[in-house]
C-alpha cells in the first residue's frame, strides 16, 4: 500500500477537522508523576547506587562544615592563644578534610554519570513507545494535529524530560538530603541559632513559593505555545512555494509574529521569574549570614549558654564559624530546589503531552479475515500455501472451527454508503457502486465532492457511518486492515520518497521484492530509462524527499513502487496530474499495462485519463449525480457533457 501518509492530506481537503492546537491549560496530576516513576523501574540497581552516592556527597559536604569547628577550636585558636606547635595535627586535619572533599566530589561525579545513562535509556524507551504507538494511530489523528506539533513531542518535550531526569531530579534529591543532614548538624551546633534560621526560612519560603508558582505556570504555557509555533513553522516550510507564488510573505510573517509573540510572552515571564529567584535567594542567604554572625557574636559575648542536641556548652568562635558555613549549606540547597522546580514543571508539562500522545486511542481492528498465499489443488479447490505463489485468497475462519478460502479477485461494492468526518456534517450521501475485476472506475467532480473520501473508505482509513462496503463479497469490516491495505495499491498526486536508494524506494511497495522485480516494475512504469541516467542508476541515493528529481520523475518512481506490489486493486488519485502532457503520453502506456486485469479507481482532473474508463461517476456535494461510460454521459448532455465540451479540467 503506497504513500499512506499523504492520504491524510487528501482527507483534510474533504472536510476532516483540523485542530489548530490553540494554547490550553495542561493539568498535571498524580498519575503523570506515577507514570514517570514507572519509567525508572528497570534501573533499580543504578538508582540505588545513585542514592548512595548522593548521600555520601551530602554527608561529605556536612562533615566539611562541621570539621571547620574542630579545625578552629582544636588547632588554630590554641596556637594563636598559647603559641603551641600543633602543625602536625593541623596538617593531618587538613589532609582529612581534603579526603572528605575528594570523596564528595567523586560521589557527585559518579552519580552524575550514572544518571546520564539512566536518563538516555529512559528517553530511548519513551521515544520508542511514542513512535510505536504513533504507527497504530488512525489517519484522522494526523488530520487533526499539525506535523510540527507532533514533532515537538520528540524534540522539546523529550528534551525537557531529559533535563529533569538527568539534572533536576538528582539535584533536587541531593539538595533535600543536604537540607536534612545540615538541619540536624545545625541542631547539634546550636538550637538557638537554628530557631532563628527556621524563622527566617518561613520568609524565604513565602517569597520563593510565590515566585516559583508564577514561573512554573508560565513554563507550562511555554511548552504549549512552543508546539503551536513549531506546527506553524512546519506548515510554512512545506508550503514555502505557495507562499512565494501568492506573495503571502507579509501575512505569513504577521501570523508568525502573533504566535511567536505569545511564545515570547510566556518564555519572558517564565524566565523573568526564574532568573530573579536565584539572585534573590543568594541575597537572602547573605542577609541570613550577616544576621547569624551578629546574633552569634552577641550571644557569645553575653556568655549565653549554648543549647545543642547533645546538651549545654559554650558558644565558641569555631561553633559560630561552623554554623555560618552550615547556614550557607542550608540555604543554597533550598534555592537550588526552588530553581529546579521550574525545570520540573516544564518537564511535567512535556511529560503530560507525551503521555497524552501515548494514550491516544489506537486504530481499532476487529477484522478476522486474512490474506494468504494460495494454490489450486488437483480438484480445482483453493488451498493455503506457505510459499509465495502469486495467487492470493481471503482466509475466513468460522465459529465451528472450519476455514473457507475466497479467491482474491478485486470485486468492490459500495452499498448505500453515508459518511461524515464531523458529526452533523455529512460528506457522502447514499453512495452505491460496484466495480468488477478488471474494471476501471473513474470519479470526477469539483474539489470537496467526495472523490478521495470514497477511496479512503475502501482503505478503511475511516469507517463508514452507514451502509456496507464489500470486497470479493466480504464486508471490509471483517477483513484485517493490514491485509486489506496489502491488497490495494495507491498512487497519489503528492509523492513521498524516503532517504535511501532509488531501488529502496521502489522496493518500499514490496519489501521482499528482488532487484529484478523492482527493475521490471520501473520498466512497466516507463521509469527505467531516466533512472539509468542518474549518477549511480538504481543505487543513486535520494534525500530530502527526492528533491534532486523533477516532480514527474518522482511520480514515476511512485508508480513503479505501486507496480512492484502487484495488487489486484489500484487507486490512482490524480496520479498523473504532476506530469506534463508529453510525459503523460509516455507514462499512460505503462499505466495501462499496470491497470490491465486489475480493478482500478481513478481520480483525475484530465479528461484524457478517464475517457477510456468502463464507468465514470460524476460527484457533486457527496452524491453521485451521473454515471456511465464516456459515450453515454456525452449523449446525456449533463454535467459531464458540459465539462467535456467546455474543455474544463476536473478538480
Amino acid at each position: 500500500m503506497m504513500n499512506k501518509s499523504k492520504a491524510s492530506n487528501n482527507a483534510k481537503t474533504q472536510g476532516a477537522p483540523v485542530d489548530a492546537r490553540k494554547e490550553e491549560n495542561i493539568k498535571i496530576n498524580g498519575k503523570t508523576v506515577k507514570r514517570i516513576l514507572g519509567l525508572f523501574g528497570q534501573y533499580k540497581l543504578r538508582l540505588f547506587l545513585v542514592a548512595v552516592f548522593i548521600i555520601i556527597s551530602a554527608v561529605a559536604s556536612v562533615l566539611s562544615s562541621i570539621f571547620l569547628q574542630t579545625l578552629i577550636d582544636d588547632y588554630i585558636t590554641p596556637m594563636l592563644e598559647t603559641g603551641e606547635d600543633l602543625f602536625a595535627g593541623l596538617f593531618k586535619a587538613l589532609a582529612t578534610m581534603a579526603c572528605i572533599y575528594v570523596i564528595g566530589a567523586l560521589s557527585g561525579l559518579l552519580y552524575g554519570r550514572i544518571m546520564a545513562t539512566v536518563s538516555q535509556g529512559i528517553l530511548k524507551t519513551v521515544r520508542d513507545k511514542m513512535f510505536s504507538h504513533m504507527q497504530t494511530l488512525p489517519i484522522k489523528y494526523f488530520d487533526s494535529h499539525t506535523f510540527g506539533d507532533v514533532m515537538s513531542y520528540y524534540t522539546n518535550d523529550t528534551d525537557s524530560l531529559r533535563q529533569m531526569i538527568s539534572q533536576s531530579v538528582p539535584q533536587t534529591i541531593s539538595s533535600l538530603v543536604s537540607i536534612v543532614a545540615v538541619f540536624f548538624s545545625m541542631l547539634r551546633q546550636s538550637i538557638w541559632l537554628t530557631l532563628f534560621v527556621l524563622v527566617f526560612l518561613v520568609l524565604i519560603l513565602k517569597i520563593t513559593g510565590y515566585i516559583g508558582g508564577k514561573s512554573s505556570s508560565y513554563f507550562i504555557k511555554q511548552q504549549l505555545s512552543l508546539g503551536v509555533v513549531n506546527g506553524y513553522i512546519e506548515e510554512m516550510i512545506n508550503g514555502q512555494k505557495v507562499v512565494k507564488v501568492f506573495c503571502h510573505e507579509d501575512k505569513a510573517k504577521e501570523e508568525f509574529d502573533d504566535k511567536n509573540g505569545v511564545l515570547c510572552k510566556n518564555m519572558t515571564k517564565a524566565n523573568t521569574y526564574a532568573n530573579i529567584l536565584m539572585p534573590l535567594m543568594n541575597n537572602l542567604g547573605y542577609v541570613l549570614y550577616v544576621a547569624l554572625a551578629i546574633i552569634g557574636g552577641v550571644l557569645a559575648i553575653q556568655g549565653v549558654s549554648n543549647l545543642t542536641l547533645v546538651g549545654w556548652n559554650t558558644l565558641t568562635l569555631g561553633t559560630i564559624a561552623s554554623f555560618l558555613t552550615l547556614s550557607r549549606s542550608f540555604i543554597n540547597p533550598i534555592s537550588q530546589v526552588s530553581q529546579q522546580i521550574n525545570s520540573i514543571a516544564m518537564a511535567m508539562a512535556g511529560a503530560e503531552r507525551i503521555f497524552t500522545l501515548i494514550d491516544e486511542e489506537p486504530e481499532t481492528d476487529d477484522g478476522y479475515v486474512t490474506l494468504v498465499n494460495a494454490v489450486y489443488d488437483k480438484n480445482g479447490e483453493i488451498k493455503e500455501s506457505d510459499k509465495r505463489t502469486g495467487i492470493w485468497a481471503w482466509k475466513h475462519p468460522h465459529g465451528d472451527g472450519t476455514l473457507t478460502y475466497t479467491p482474491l479477485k478485486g470485486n468492490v461494492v459500495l452499498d448505500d454508503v453515508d459518511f461524515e468526518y464531523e458529526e452533523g456534517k455529512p460528506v457522502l450521501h447514499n453512495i452505491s457502486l460496484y466495480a468488477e475485476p478488471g474494471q476501471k472506475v473513474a470519479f470526477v467532480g469539483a474539489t470537496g465532492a467526495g472523490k478521495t473520501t470514497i477511496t479512503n473508505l475502501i482503505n478503511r482509513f475511516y469507517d463508514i457511518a452507514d451502509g456496507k462496503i464489500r470486497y470479493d463479497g466480504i464486508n471490509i469490516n471483517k477483513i484485517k486492515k493490514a491485509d486489506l491495505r496489502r491488497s490495494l495499491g495507491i498512487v497519489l498526486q503528492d509523492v513521498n520518497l524516503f532517504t535511501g536508494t532509488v531501488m529502496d524506494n521502489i522496493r518500499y511497495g514490496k519489501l521482499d521484492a528482488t532487484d529484478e522485480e523492482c527493475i521490471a516494475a520501473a520498466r512497466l512504469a516507463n521509469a527505467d530509462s531516466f533512472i539509468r541516467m542518474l549518477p549511480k542508476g538504481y543505487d543513486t541515493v535520494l534525500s530530502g524527499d527526492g528533491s534532486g528529481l523533477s516532480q514527474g520523475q518522482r511520480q514515476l518512481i511512485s508508480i513503479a513502487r505501486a507496480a512492484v506490489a502487484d495488487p489486484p486493486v489500484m487507486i490512482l488519485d490524480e496520479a498523473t496530474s504532476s506530469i506534463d502532457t508529453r510525459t503523460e503520453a509516455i507514462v499512460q502506456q505503462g499505466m495501462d499495462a499496470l491497470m490491465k486485469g486489475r480493478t482500478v479507481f481513478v481520480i483525475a482532473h484530465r479528461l484524457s485519463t478517464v475517457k477510456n474508463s468502463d464507468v465514470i461517476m460524476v460527484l457533486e456535494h457527496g452524491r453521485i449525480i451521473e454515471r456511465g461510460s464516456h459515450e453515454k454521459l456525452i449523449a446525456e448532455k449533463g454535467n459531464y457533457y458540459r465539462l467535456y465540451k467546455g474543455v474544463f479540467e476536473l478538480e
Side-chain angles (χ1 to χ4, degrees), residues 531-593:
I531 292 175
R532 292 188 181 277
M533 294 175 65
L534 296 174
K536 294 185 180 179
Y538 284 88
D539 293 325
T540 301
V541 176
L542 303 178
S543 60
D545 200 18
S547 57
L549 303 177
S550 70
Q551 185 67 22
Q553 290 173 329
R554 295 169 71 248
Q555 188 63 276
L556 289 173
I557 292 177
S558 175
I559 294 169
R561 180 194 293 172
V564 78
D566 196 24
V569 177
M570 289 291 301
I571 297 173
L572 309 175
D573 192 349
E574 312 261 15
T576 59
S577 64
S578 300
I579 302 175
D580 60 79
T581 306
R582 179 178 176 277
T583 305
E584 182 187 14
I586 299 172
V587 172
Q588 196 62 51
Q589 296 177 358
M591 292 292 293
D592 290 340

Side-chain angles (χ1 to χ4, degrees), residues 77 90-91 122 152 158 205 263 407 412 432 436 591 605 626 640:
T77 300
L90 177 61
F91 288 140
I122 290 175
S152 189
T158 52
L205 292 179
L263 175 60
V412 180
S432 294
E436 296 181 352
M591 292 292 293
H605 68 292
E626 294 178 13
Y640 184 82

Side-chain angles (χ1 to χ4, degrees), residues 192-260:
W192 306 136
L193 295 178
T194 303
L195 290 175
F196 179 78
V197 170
L198 292 179
V199 172
F200 198 85
L201 181 63
V202 173
L203 173 64
I204 292 176
L205 292 179
K206 286 283 186 182
I207 296 174
T208 57
Y210 173 78
I211 297 175
K214 287 285 188 180
S215 178
S216 297
S217 65
Y218 281 111
F219 271 118
I220 292 172
K221 291 180 180 180
Q222 170 188 307
Q223 288 301 102
L224 293 167
S225 50
L226 191 59
V228 173
V229 169
N230 284 342
Y232 185 79
I233 292 172
E234 186 272 339
E235 274 187 356
M236 291 300 103
I237 291 174
N238 280 347
Q240 195 59 224
K241 288 183 180 178
V242 178
V243 172
K244 294 289 185 184
V245 167
F246 290 98
C247 302
H248 198 76
E249 294 93 338
D250 291 339
K251 184 64 177 177
K253 286 190 288 185
E254 180 184 334
E255 292 178 356
F256 179 77
D257 284 344
D258 290 340
K259 298 179 188 297
N260 198 31

Side-chain angles (χ1 to χ4, degrees), residues 50-320:
V50 167
V52 171
F53 288 133
I54 285 177
I55 293 172
I56 292 174
S57 178
V59 170
S61 176
V62 173
L63 287 177
S64 62
S65 299
I66 295 176
F67 204 77
L68 188 62
Q69 177 188 4
T70 304
L71 198 66
I72 294 174
D73 290 346
D74 294 352
Y75 296 100
I76 297 177
T77 300
M79 284 195 297
L80 292 175
E81 291 179 349
T82 65
E84 186 179 357
D85 185 2
L86 299 174
F87 284 106
L90 177 61
F91 288 140
K92 185 177 180 181
L94 290 173
T96 302
M97 184 178 288
C99 290
I100 292 173
Y101 277 123
V102 169
I103 292 173
L106 287 176
S107 297
L109 175 65
L110 289 173
Y111 85 68
R113 287 179 63 90
I114 294 175
M115 283 307 299
T117 61
V118 170
S119 64
Q120 291 305 319
I122 290 175
L123 289 186
K124 180 182 182 302
T125 301
V126 168
R127 290 194 192 98
D128 287 343
K129 283 185 177 180
M130 279 198 296
F131 192 82
S132 297
H133 186 70
M134 194 175 70
Q135 305 309 306
T136 69
L137 297 179
I139 290 293
K140 64 181 179 183
Y141 176 84
F142 300 98
D143 288 343
S144 58
H145 295 74
T146 63
F147 297 154
D149 188 37
V150 174
M151 280 302 302
S152 189
Y153 293 124
Y154 293 90
T155 53
N156 302 313
D157 295 327
T158 52
D159 188 64
S160 64
L161 192 60
R162 174 201 61 78
Q163 185 173 353
M164 182 186 76
I165 294 172
S166 63
Q167 298 178 21
S168 300
V169 170
Q171 287 184 14
T172 300
I173 294 174
S174 176
S175 297
L176 292 175
V177 171
S178 296
I179 289 170
V180 173
V182 170
F183 177 71
F184 283 102
S185 298
M186 289 194 301
L187 289 175
R188 184 178 179 278
Q189 297 292 89
S190 174
I191 291 179
W192 306 136
L193 295 178
T194 303
L195 290 175
F196 179 78
V197 170
L198 292 179
V199 172
F200 198 85
L201 181 63
V202 173
L203 173 64
I204 292 176
L205 292 179
K206 286 283 186 182
I207 296 174
T208 57
Y210 173 78
I211 297 175
K214 287 285 188 180
S215 178
S216 297
S217 65
Y218 281 111
F219 271 118
I220 292 172
K221 291 180 180 180
Q222 170 188 307
Q223 288 301 102
L224 293 167
S225 50
L226 191 59
V228 173
V229 169
N230 284 342
Y232 185 79
I233 292 172
E234 186 272 339
E235 274 187 356
M236 291 300 103
I237 291 174
N238 280 347
Q240 195 59 224
K241 288 183 180 178
V242 178
V243 172
K244 294 289 185 184
V245 167
F246 290 98
C247 302
H248 198 76
E249 294 93 338
D250 291 339
K251 184 64 177 177
K253 286 190 288 185
E254 180 184 334
E255 292 178 356
F256 179 77
D257 284 344
D258 290 340
K259 298 179 188 297
N260 198 31
V262 174
L263 175 60
C264 179
K265 172 188 171 185
N266 291 332
M267 292 187 74
T268 299
K269 290 190 175 181
N271 286 284
T272 296
Y273 285 113
N275 291 340
I276 66 174
L277 186 60
M278 185 61 76
L280 181 62
M281 289 292 293
N282 284 335
N283 287 323
L284 288 174
Y286 290 130
V287 171
L288 176 62
Y289 191 89
V290 172
L292 283 173
I294 295 172
I295 293 173
V298 170
L299 292 177
I301 293 171
Q302 295 297 323
V304 176
S305 297
N306 183 37
L307 177 62
T308 70
L309 284 179
V310 295
W312 296 87
N313 59 28
T314 303
L315 192 62
T316 64
L317 177 62
T319 302
I320 296 174

